[in-house]
Amino acid sequence: MLSRFQGYIDKNAEAAPLAVFRIFFGVMMFLSIVRFWSYGWIDKLYIQPRFFFSYYGFEFVKPLGSYTYLLFALCAMAALAVAAGYRYRLAIITFFLSFTYIELMDKTTYLNHYYFISLLSFLMIFLPAHRYFSLDVRLGYAKPVQYVPQWSLDSVKLLLGIVYFYAGLAKLNSDWLIHAMPLKIWLPSKFDIPFLGQWLQQEWAHYTFSWLGALYDLTIPFLLLYKRTRPWAFLAVVVFHVLTRVLFPIGMFPYIMIVSATIFFNAQWHHKMLSVLARLIRVNKAKCDNGLVMAPTKMQLAKIVLVPFFVLQLLIPFRHYLYPGELFWTEEGYRFSWRVMLMEKAGYASFKVVDKESGQRFYVNNADFLTPFQEKQMATQPDFILEYAHFLKQHFEAQGHKNLGVFVESYVALNGRRSRPYIDPKVDLTQQQESFKHKDWILPFEDEIKGL
Amino acid sequence: MVVRGVKKLWTLWVFMLMGAVACSDSDPSTEEPIDDFDRSEILVNWADNIIIPNYQDYVESLTDLKAAITTFGQTSSADLLADVREAWLEAYLDWQRVSMFEIGKAESVSLRNFTNIYPADIQKIDENINTGSYNLELPSTNDEQGFPALDYLLYGKADTDEGTVAILSTPAHKEYLQQLVERLHNLASEVLNHWTSGYRDTFVANNGSSATSSLNKLANDFMFYYEKSLRAGKVGIPAGVFSTSRLPEKVEARFSGKSKLLFLESLDAVQDFFNGTGSSNTGKSFAHYLDYLNTIKEGEDLSALINSQLNLARQKAEMLNSDFAAQIDDNNVSMLETYDELQKVVVLLKVDMFQALSIQVDFVDADGD
């Protein structure tokens, strides 16, 4: 057993796929940032709001005012450097840190996609992606090798596989499979999509999309692994992601996933790809095809870091079992678990500020403090509600009020169920503290969603 | 050979995708939807049966108000003052039936802000009248014009009708009255003309599902109006819901004491719009759309729930004093009870209805999962 594992660790593979992946990744990230910037989202999401929601333990990470643009510029330049393989290690570390910092600035914008990018860029810090077809090689900063350890390629495939497979597991629940929710809400509203629009009104279409979606997520990593099924699997990847792009506002993610899937291809494809690129930019790729194998001693740190990294990745999505109550309702353990597109959740929260001495009270106009986007996210997530309540206390106490309590009257509707009270309106939220413990002031869901 | 072909195919795919990335984000075309429920019918009903007729009524009553003020300007008398007041109330009531449609021209000229911002700044109004120098087109003069300014001049200048006539018949006051009604009339006519000379077709043709489609946009305008103008403005703010003390001086039409009448008209307008009820007949609106979607989803009968909650709120309001300010001074509890019933409608509309229709509240331009 151990020897088999050692045998695997020592196995080598062509470096070209990793180089292609590095180029795709860098270019996609660069385009994503340019797109984000050009839409004015930096200003809208990170500069205009007067309050930002922090991740527990990362309260110190805040936008940097107008320097936030510099942060994005740094991140974009790092992405380009990654693509070019220029000072790769420094570039990918800079990218990982700046990108993750951006994501930590306000959890309002949390997306599984962004979390995926943070994880992937962290993983790439430890991969020898710059030892083939890179500026580092050309400039002599790194020695070119034609072969790298097989596991460095496989670790990327593993991360991709986890994302898909866990997203598939999360779909094995009664709302998704039995009730075709939330697609039953989302699809009919896309009535104006050419050709597809008319079918999206039909119940059978909602079920077909739900079941095929779950099946796709669960099987695609394996179908991509096997040579026989690979061409069809890749076709499915393209169709699936293009379809999601047409139906939902999910930005660059579909394209990122499609190009990422090319890492599963045979190395010949990557060689061809790089030859075309080499001709375009007039360089000679042959220098890298030197038959050299990367020295195994180089990768000790990676082994130490990546084994616990992947163990954590396999465990974190299941942490919701540590909490009582319905996961979709409480969202305790919902993030960082590849639960995508599972919920249509809408809420309304109105906050009552009470002077506990005089008994005077008034309601807060959320628009005074939050953007519509923040208010929308806040209203359905208990940790947001709690943090905002503490902010309100601080804000009004700074205005001279004393001894304030903050209460919330809130309603949430989940996957087409009728709205119902969400947070216990009798609980003074300023007396509650954020922690990893269960929040017992979330009112019960009074329904059951069966499944994982 | 087959294998080679497959590989070429892959390369082709990747290059096509690179192209797709470069020119993504194309707007879905606005082809006619072909499904069981034609959403265009809602837009047609809104435009032809509700919005345009309501604006026509509104402009007509402003024309009457203008005439009454002109007559009063020629020979001032208590009888003619009564005519002006009557015409003012008529126009004010008609205003409640168009206020929520802050879309198109109404949005670009900020119709609501120049028509009905209260409480009016009475010091500023008196100053304007005395100095004769003012520019009512400036946004800073929102609270020096419109119906609240007329409310002050027609009801708030003196305790008796004779006293009011005496004050209003001075040239400076006559001039200001005239300016106020002219401005109201010009703005309303501009909006109505825009609807009848092309915008109606633009509005109806924008029948897609994007965030900027007519349905999504007007749904948000409707929600905004209900929450901010009706629930908060007419009831919540004066009842002290958002402050540490009651603010009866912030009721609508505080000098004439017509707040309840105006509120009920506004509530009727909201419910009629929800149900698609216009001046002549009832056509399609949110209620029917919800019923249609419910045949797919088999959930709660939302349109019935919303209607019965609106009726409950109306029943509460009908028991209030005709002057909300008096009610707040007298017994604010029933005012707050009315607010609570109105608040429940917000939850039904903003959470349940918007979810069912899959409309984003205040469209957020960002990516999703």
Side-chain angles (χ1 to χ4, degrees):
Chain A
M1 182 65 204
L2 199 68
S3 67
R4 258 184 77 182
F5 182 70
Q6 192 57 49
Y8 171 73
I9 288 293
D10 294 339
K11 216 173 140 193
N12 290 311
E14 293 257 13
L18 204 55
V20 170
F21 186 79
R22 184 200 77 223
I23 295 168
F24 275 150
F25 178 82
V27 169
M28 285 311 231
M29 290 306 108
F30 178 74
L31 290 177
S32 299
I33 293 166
V34 169
R35 170 178 175 270
F36 200 91
W37 195 319
S38 71
Y39 285 4
W41 288 351
I42 300 177
D43 179 55
K44 195 171 162 178
L45 299 174
Y46 296 117
I47 297 188
Q48 280 177 12
R50 55 179 292 186
F51 173 72
F52 297 96
F53 289 97
S54 298
Y55 289 94
Y56 183 47
F58 290 93
E59 290 78 7
F60 59 93
V61 181
K62 292 283 173 208
L64 311 170
S66 47
Y67 292 110
T68 311
Y69 284 104
L70 275 182
L71 183 61
F72 274 85
L74 180 71
C75 192
M77 285 187 319
L80 276 187
V82 168
Y86 177 70
R87 300 281 186 195
Y88 172 75
R89 204 73 71 181
L90 177 67
I92 189 71
I93 290 174
T94 307
F95 179 84
F96 164 71
L97 290 177
S98 55
F99 188 89
T100 306
Y101 188 95
I102 290 168
E103 293 323 311
L104 290 174
M105 292 192 302
D106 186 359
K107 68 182 169 190
T108 307
T109 57
Y110 171 81
L111 290 182
N112 287 291
H113 316 158
Y114 295 150
Y115 174 54
F116 170 66
I117 298 301
S118 277
L119 292 182
L120 186 56
S121 56
F122 176 78
L123 171 62
M124 285 172 70
I125 293 174
F126 303 96
L127 304 183
H130 60 309
R131 303 294 296 271
Y132 191 89
F133 203 75
S134 70
L135 273 182
D136 280 350
V137 165
R138 193 181 164 82
L139 299 172
Y141 299 144
K143 261 197 224 137
V145 291
Q146 192 182 349
Y147 297 97
V148 291
Q150 171 77 37
W151 65 257
S152 60
L153 280 172
D154 288 350
S155 61
V156 176
K157 295 179 193 171
L158 178 59
L159 186 61
L160 280 166
I162 290 175
V163 173
Y164 276 120
F165 190 71
Y166 276 69
L169 286 182
K171 289 187 172 70
L172 301 181
N173 69 72
S174 54
D175 269 18
W176 184 271
L177 296 174
I178 316 274
H179 304 292
M181 278 290 183
L183 291 183
K184 214 180 249 186
I185 294 175
W186 289 340
L187 295 182
S189 75
K190 308 289 171 190
F191 56 87
D192 58 337
I193 287 175
F195 182 69
L196 270 181
Q198 50 185 315
W199 310 111
L200 298 180
Q201 308 300 308
Q202 310 295 326
E203 206 169 3
W204 60 260
H206 310 150
Y207 281 97
T208 310
F209 275 72
S210 293
W211 282 72
L212 282 183
L215 192 69
Y216 168 85
D217 281 341
L218 286 171
T219 56
I220 202 71
F222 306 104
L223 297 179
L224 281 169
L225 274 177
Y226 295 106
K227 206 174 165 186
R228 272 162 191 253
T229 48
R230 200 175 294 145
W232 303 109
F234 187 66
L235 188 69
V237 169
V238 173
V239 170
F240 176 83
H241 285 294
V242 167
L243 206 58
T244 58
R245 176 65 188 79
V246 169
L247 290 173
F248 307 109
I250 45 181
M252 295 287 288
F253 183 68
Y255 308 121
I256 293 169
M257 289 310 266
I258 291 170
V259 299
S260 295
T262 59
I263 192 149
F264 287 91
F265 291 0
N266 193 304
Q268 280 171 311
W269 184 87
H270 300 93
H271 278 298
K272 227 174 263 170
M273 189 75 194
L274 290 177
S275 302
V276 172
L277 190 60
R279 242 175 289 142
L280 276 176
I281 56 174
R282 297 196 184 150
V283 293
N284 187 6
K285 163 174 146 352
K287 200 172 102 178
C288 291
D289 296 321
N290 50 13
L292 286 179
V293 179
M294 200 177 150
T297 49
K298 285 258 177 188
M299 311 283 291
Q300 292 309 325
L301 179 65
K303 281 179 231 165
I304 295 164
V305 175
L306 293 185
V307 171
F309 171 79
F310 277 109
V311 170
L312 274 179
Q313 286 313 311
L314 292 170
L315 292 178
I316 286 173
F318 289 116
R319 74 188 186 285
H320 68 276
Y321 283 118
L322 302 174
Y323 295 98
E326 170 52 51
L327 170 65
F328 286 11
W329 184 250
T330 67
E331 296 203 29
E332 292 174 317
Y334 191 85
R335 282 188 285 258
F336 315 119
S337 312
W338 315 118
R339 293 168 202 283
V340 284
M341 312 231 69
L342 292 179
M343 295 198 298
E344 166 58 47
K345 205 175 182 189
Y348 184 83
S350 70
F351 288 82
K352 185 167 71 175
V353 179
V354 180
D355 182 329
K356 286 193 276 193
E357 266 162 35
S358 68
Q360 280 186 322
R361 93 284 168 283
F362 62 92
Y363 284 86
V364 174
N365 180 12
N366 292 331
D368 290 346
F369 305 103
L370 304 179
T371 64
F373 187 26
Q374 289 178 316
E375 188 178 353
K376 176 183 140 86
Q377 297 286 45
M378 177 275 291
T380 60
Q381 299 179 64
D383 53 337
F384 282 68
I385 289 175
L386 182 64
E387 193 180 350
Y388 181 51
H390 280 267
F391 163 77
L392 289 175
K393 180 185 164 81
Q394 256 179 23
H395 173 82
F396 287 109
E397 288 192 337
Q399 286 191 351
H401 299 273
K402 267 185 201 136
N403 224 335
L404 295 180
V406 177
F407 300 80
V408 67
E409 283 156 27
S410 59
Y411 294 83
V412 165
L414 174 60
N415 281 351
R417 291 172 183 83
R418 203 187 147 189
S419 62
R420 43 176 300 111
Y422 190 50
I423 301 294
D424 189 341
K426 290 192 278 298
V427 167
D428 178 359
L429 292 172
T430 63
Q431 301 302 310
Q432 306 297 324
Q433 300 304 326
E434 182 58 76
S435 73
F436 286 127
K437 286 195 208 107
H438 170 57
K439 297 175 170 62
D440 53 11
W441 35 268
I442 304 170
L443 294 171
F445 181 46
E446 306 289 6
D447 198 351
E448 203 189 350
I449 300 172
K450 294 192 182 69
L452 288 166
Chain B
M1 195 59 214
V2 175
V3 176
R4 276 191 67 90
V6 167
K7 275 182 192 153
K8 269 188 187 154
L9 188 72
W10 291 1
T11 316
L12 189 70
W13 271 118
V14 171
F15 278 106
M16 271 170 56
L17 279 160
M18 299 308 281
V21 172
C23 53
S24 57
D25 300 288
S26 60
D27 245 4
S29 75
T30 46
E31 273 177 55
E32 284 294 311
I34 322 155
D35 61 78
D36 313 349
F37 189 84
D38 187 357
R39 286 137 185 100
S40 307
E41 277 183 50
I42 297 179
L43 300 181
V44 170
N45 182 51
W46 282 352
D48 296 348
N49 187 31
I50 302 179
I51 300 176
I52 294 174
N54 286 7
Y55 271 118
Q56 280 163 341
D57 289 348
Y58 176 50
V59 169
E60 216 169 281
S61 33
L62 282 176
T63 310
D64 293 347
L65 177 61
K66 211 164 105 175
I69 285 177
T70 307
T71 314
F72 179 81
Q74 284 150 3
T75 40
S76 307
S77 73
D79 282 349
L80 289 176
L81 175 66
D83 288 349
V84 173
R85 284 172 168 175
E86 199 183 314
W88 167 83
L89 182 59
E90 199 55 46
Y92 209 170
L93 288 169
D94 283 346
W95 160 251
Q96 307 295 333
R97 291 199 166 265
V98 294
S99 178
M100 71 184 94
F101 309 125
E102 196 92 338
I103 190 171
K105 200 51 143 187
E107 187 182 14
S108 62
V109 302
S110 303
L111 184 64
R112 195 188 296 138
N113 282 348
F114 283 114
T115 305
N116 197 21
I117 290 292
Y118 54 89
D121 187 339
I122 57 177
Q123 271 93 29
K124 266 312 228 328
I125 293 171
D126 286 337
E127 202 182 300
N128 289 346
I129 294 169
N130 290 335
T131 61
S133 72
Y134 47 84
N135 178 2
L136 295 180
E137 294 189 3
L138 295 177
S140 59
T141 62
N142 275 342
D143 53 359
E144 299 159 30
Q145 60 186 304
F147 289 105
L150 284 166
D151 177 58
Y152 167 57
L153 292 177
L154 296 176
Y155 289 91
K157 294 295 277 185
D159 291 337
T160 62
D161 291 0
E162 288 73 21
T164 305
V165 171
I167 291 169
L168 293 188
S169 50
T170 62
H173 282 86
K174 280 192 217 166
E175 170 64 16
Y176 202 66
L177 280 175
Q178 200 70 45
Q179 290 295 331
L180 290 179
V181 74
E182 291 278 353
R183 174 121 179 93
L184 281 174
H185 191 267
N186 288 344
L187 285 170
S189 312
E190 196 183 345
V191 173
L192 175 60
N193 287 339
H194 185 241
W195 271 100
T196 52
S197 60
Y199 183 63
R200 181 261 177 215
D201 293 337
T202 315
F203 176 82
V204 169
N206 187 8
N207 61 1
S209 66
S210 73
T212 49
S213 66
S214 296
L215 188 92
N216 284 27
K217 222 172 158 296
L218 204 52
N220 269 298
D221 291 340
F222 171 75
M223 194 60 238
F224 186 85
Y225 174 76
Y226 182 85
E227 211 180 342
K228 295 282 179 303
S229 299
L230 193 153
R231 176 201 65 134
K234 293 178 200 291
V235 180
I237 291 172
V241 170
F242 302 98
S243 49
T244 46
S245 54
R246 315 168 192 182
L247 304 166
E249 70 278 7
K250 292 210 172 180
V251 297
E252 192 174 22
R254 63 186 276 216
F255 297 103
S256 59
K258 304 284 187 198
S259 40
K260 180 172 154 185
L261 208 57
L262 296 168
F263 167 79
L264 289 174
E265 189 73 17
S266 156
L267 191 64
D268 288 348
V270 160
Q271 194 165 8
D272 285 347
F273 184 70
F274 175 78
N275 290 316
T277 308
S279 43
S280 49
N281 62 314
T282 294
K284 289 218 163 85
S285 188
F286 291 129
H288 311 78
Y289 196 6
L290 285 173
D291 292 343
Y292 161 69
L293 290 171
N294 217 16
T295 59
I296 301 177
K297 176 163 83 78
E298 291 156 31
E300 305 249 3
D301 188 350
L302 259 184
S303 62
L305 282 169
I306 289 168
N307 269 315
S308 68
Q309 187 56 44
L310 282 167
N311 292 339
L312 255 173
R314 184 181 296 99
Q315 280 165 24
K316 282 275 179 207
E318 271 164 353
M319 304 200 301
L320 298 173
N321 191 308
S322 66
D323 178 359
F324 284 173
Q327 180 69 53
I328 291 164
D329 281 334
D330 213 39
N331 176 10
N332 197 33
V333 173
S334 8
M335 199 70 184
L336 290 172
E337 282 171 5
T338 308
Y339 176 84
D340 288 342
E341 298 305 329
L342 291 169
Q343 174 70 23
K344 289 177 194 162
V345 182
V346 175
V347 175
L348 286 171
L349 292 176
K350 208 172 181 176
V351 178
D352 295 87
M353 178 173 98
F354 272 50
Q355 175 167 100
L357 304 186
S358 200
I359 291 177
Q360 297 282 311
V361 178
D362 284 320
F363 169 63
V364 178
D365 179 27
D367 289 338
D369 252 338

